[in-house]
Amino acid sequence: MATTDFKTWIYENVDINDINEVWSLYQAVIGESNDYHPYSATRKSGILLVQHSNQSDPLVIASEEAKSAFINILEYPYLEQGGIELAKAFEDHMSHD
């Protein structure tokens, strides 16, 4: 069954402390793309459906305002690092040293 409960869906489908996982979800939602395993985002009839490959229940993002709110929830834990993009870049840089 689909849900619109962002926080519960994130809790059940995302390790919010894993920047690589959060970045993949962020990219899938921003780009409305299926290219960021294990997450996919598909627009149907104006509604964005976000799904984890191991989860049968999609998250429904019904508007651009809701999409922005969802992105803000994902960004929140990484604000001190400058957001998801900078946290991911830092993680990538550290893993190559």
Side-chain angles (χ1 to χ4, degrees), residues 43-84:
R43 190 164 291 275
K44 293 184 181 177
S45 302
I47 295 172
L48 188 62
L49 299 173
V50 181
Q51 198 156 3
H52 187 285
S53 64
N54 295 333
Q55 177 58 264
S56 61
D57 295 338
L59 174 67
V60 175
I61 300 178
S63 67
E64 286 302 312
E65 292 82 15
K67 183 176 173 180
S68 293
F70 183 75
I71 294 300
N72 287 338
I73 291 169
L74 292 179
E75 288 268 23
Y76 184 77
Y78 298 97
L79 288 178
E80 288 183 9
Q81 294 170 292
I84 292 170

Side-chain angles (χ1 to χ4, degrees), residues 9 25 28-29 32-42 49-53:
W9 191 90
L25 175 58
V29 171
E32 299 183 11
S33 170
N34 297 327
D35 295 333
Y36 296 95
H37 184 75
Y39 301 101
S40 64
T42 308
L49 299 173
V50 181
Q51 198 156 3
H52 187 285
S53 64

